Amino acid sequence: MELTIVTKTEEPLLKRTHLTAEMQFEKQTPSHPDVASELSKKLGADQSLLAVKTIKGKFGQRIVAIDAYLYQQKEVFDFFEKKKEKKEKKKKESAQK
């Protein structure tokens, strides 16, 4: 798998960096954990501060477009990312009832 970072935009007010990347793969579309580990290796960053938002495949090609955020602090990561997990959990519980 070959990873190329296309854009890297600092967001100082939110204490994070917005990343857009492309990855070439051979067999199957890479999963979120696979992409997160490759990005953390490429950036030399802690994988627990990385949030992969989307992995979009290009039809007929072995290339995916990746949208991710790299947070500077664990507290900021928890503030933005944990809220979304709680909302999704509530939606699943209400759907089951």
Side-chain angles (χ1 to χ4, degrees):
M1 286 190 269
E2 183 181 328
L3 180 75
T4 307
I5 296 176
V6 179
T7 61
K8 191 175 183 180
T9 308
E10 293 289 328
E11 297 177 357
L13 292 176
L14 299 175
K15 296 181 182 178
R16 67 183 181 185
T17 304
H18 181 240
L19 303 166
T20 306
E22 285 188 347
M23 179 184 264
Q24 294 181 349
F25 60 95
E26 293 181 19
K27 293 185 179 180
Q28 62 187 16
T29 304
S31 64
H32 283 266
D34 294 339
V35 170
S37 67
E38 288 293 321
L39 273 172
S40 66
K41 286 178 192 174
K42 181 87 171 185
L43 298 169
D46 186 12
Q47 188 173 345
S48 66
L49 298 176
L50 192 65
V52 177
K53 294 297 181 183
T54 59
I55 301 172
K56 295 180 184 176
K58 295 182 179 182
F59 184 76
Q61 298 179 6
R62 298 260 182 215
I63 298 173
V64 291
I66 301 162
D67 193 29
Y69 289 107
L70 176 62
Y71 291 90
Q72 295 174 3
Q73 299 171 346
K74 182 68 175 163
E75 295 81 24
V76 179
F77 175 84
D78 290 340
F79 180 78
F80 285 107
E81 299 302 322
K82 297 295 179 182
K83 278 185 177 179
K84 293 174 185 170
E85 289 177 7
K86 288 179 184 177
K87 284 182 183 178
E88 290 173 2
K89 195 175 192 180
K90 285 183 183 179
K91 283 183 183 179
K92 286 180 182 178
E93 288 175 356
S94 64
Q96 290 177 352
K97 291 181 181 180

